[in-house]
Amino acid sequence: MTTPARQLPFTPSITVATAHRVLQQFSRDRGSTALVLVIPCMLMVLLKLMFDHAGGSFDRVGPQVFGIFPVIVMYLVGSVSTLRERTSGTAERLLTLPVQRLDIVLGYSLAFTFLALLQAVLSTLLAVGPLGLEIKGPAYLLMVVAMLGALLGLALGLLVSAFARNEFQAVQFLPAGVLPQFLVCGLFVPRDEMHGSLAALAKVMPMTYAVQAAGEAARHTGVTGVFVRDALLILVCVVGVLVASAATLKR
């Protein structure tokens, strides 16, 4: 008696087809394309101009924003794009087919992972090239941080889209879900100098570890244990939020 083959919790062909469809739609939306690929670069240029005469401040703050800007940008794109799929009925029509909920979520994640990679490459090349950002570690570590931050923002956006009724409500969740992380992540005040309650809150905020990982890449010449730990923590958060997002899709 043969043992039946173990089925995957998702279908790779459907996942790839979903990602291809999302990328095709995205390519026709110039506003979203600019938001993902152009705006982060413009923000880096603005940051450079702000600290142009501040003597080393750009080298201190610049690496840390690689853990912040991608989260915010991909949150906006992910939440609005997914909400359009829900409100237009596309998601419901897909779920009437023999597909798994995880197929849809992974398809979106695969498509936006490609976009996040482009965003990370462009931002890093701009920062360490024309803008002159000086870091001790290899530049690809900043790309890794930017990629993880973008995936985190995407995962949060997918989850929030389940609770918003329209695009305006999706944007309204930004102050509640993302901006508190921005304030306590350690960019403005070191975490060990914060009030005890805020320092404890920062420990459970994934953006904190994105900023900390970027700082490790800037201060050390190689990959440190702290960098690996923080990167893994962000990745665990991303996977957990994506699973929660898949659970919100109802047939």
Side-chain angles (χ1 to χ4, degrees), residues 18-238:
T18 301
H20 183 259
R21 179 181 61 82
V22 172
L23 287 175
Q24 280 187 324
Q25 292 180 343
F26 192 87
S27 64
R28 294 192 291 266
D29 189 345
R30 295 182 179 178
S32 296
T33 302
L35 182 61
V36 172
L37 301 180
V38 179
I39 296 301
C41 294
M42 291 180 59
L43 292 176
M44 290 301 300
V45 173
L46 178 61
L47 195 67
K48 171 65 175 179
L49 294 176
M50 287 174 56
F51 294 113
D52 191 36
H53 301 289
S57 295
F58 179 67
D59 292 332
R60 178 183 63 84
V61 178
Q64 295 178 327
V65 300
F66 276 83
I68 297 175
F69 289 166
V71 177
I72 298 175
V73 171
M74 293 303 287
Y75 167 87
L76 292 172
V77 174
S79 60
V80 172
S81 299
T82 310
L83 188 60
R84 287 178 182 174
E85 296 275 288
R86 293 177 185 265
T87 55
S88 65
T90 302
E92 286 75 8
R93 289 193 295 271
L94 287 173
L95 289 171
T96 62
L97 303 174
V99 299
Q100 301 294 326
R101 290 177 294 183
L102 196 57
D103 288 325
I104 299 176
V105 173
L106 289 180
Y108 274 97
S109 301
L110 182 60
F112 283 105
T113 296
F114 175 74
L115 295 173
L117 176 61
L118 290 179
Q119 180 191 93
V121 170
L122 290 175
S123 299
T124 304
L125 292 179
L126 175 66
V128 301
L131 299 184
L133 178 65
E134 296 183 0
I135 59 174
K136 293 183 178 180
Y140 73 84
L141 292 182
L142 287 183
M143 293 185 187
V144 172
V145 173
M147 275 281 298
L148 291 173
L151 292 177
L152 176 62
L154 168 65
L156 293 173
L158 292 175
L159 181 61
V160 162
S161 68
F163 305 100
R165 295 182 179 180
N166 51 57
E167 296 175 10
F168 180 68
Q169 284 189 354
V171 176
Q172 283 182 315
F173 279 107
L174 180 67
V178 177
L179 292 187
Q181 298 188 57
F182 173 69
L183 294 175
V184 301
C185 68
L187 178 64
F188 300 105
V189 179
R191 286 190 296 149
D192 55 2
E193 297 180 11
M194 294 181 183
H195 188 272
S197 59
L198 292 180
L201 180 63
K203 289 183 179 180
V204 299
M205 296 290 188
M207 188 184 289
T208 298
Y209 300 100
V211 171
Q212 186 168 275
E216 287 289 303
R219 293 190 300 267
H220 301 277
T221 56
V223 180
T224 66
V226 175
F227 180 91
V228 174
R229 182 203 64 188
D230 292 344
L232 289 177
L233 285 173
I234 300 169
L235 189 59
V236 169
C237 290
V238 170

